[in-house]
Amino acid sequence: LMGKRTSCRFCGAGNYSEISCPPSSCQFPNEPVVPYYWDPDCRLGKLGCWADGIHIQCRFCGEAPFTSLSCPAVVGGSSAGGGSASVTQCSFANEPHTPYFWDPSCT
């Protein structure tokens, strides 16, 4: 990603659809207790999708009523000990429509 914050990386959409987004790409006003993750296969109407109300790819898993959805190894959510704090390190003059996350391996 070009700009002042070279560790901010676009993911999950458009030209960046091949880059997997971490759970921190979901943006909740309050961290949910239910685990969640970024699922590029989410579609409107599928159970657990649109968990954050912003990104259709944010998906709840593992706890009622989402017990039929297995969680991957890395999830967000306060019950998982995760969170979405890493996106706060990226800042833009104009918020992009493409999801992004902080990736310290970018230089």
Side-chain angles (χ1 to χ4, degrees):
L1 178 63
M2 301 297 292
K4 294 181 181 179
R5 307 274 184 180
T6 57
S7 291
C8 289
R9 173 173 272 192
F10 286 130
C11 63
N15 293 337
Y16 309 96
S17 60
E18 297 300 316
I19 299 171
S20 296
C21 293
S24 63
S25 296
C26 299
Q27 299 171 2
F28 294 92
N30 297 299
E31 188 68 18
V33 175
V34 177
Y36 61 88
Y37 66 104
W38 189 270
D39 183 354
D41 296 324
C42 261
R43 301 289 178 263
L44 190 58
K46 287 179 85 174
L47 182 65
C49 295
W50 213 310
D52 67 354
I54 300 169
H55 303 99
I56 197 162
Q57 299 91 347
C58 289
R59 190 172 205 176
F60 286 128
C61 63
E63 293 186 15
F66 311 103
T67 53
S68 64
L69 300 172
S70 298
C71 293
V74 177
V75 295
S78 59
S79 68
S84 56
S86 65
V87 294
T88 61
Q89 296 174 328
C90 296
S91 61
F92 299 90
N94 296 303
E95 187 70 18
H97 294 285
T98 303
Y100 59 86
F101 67 100
W102 185 263
D103 184 351
S105 69
C106 287
T107 55

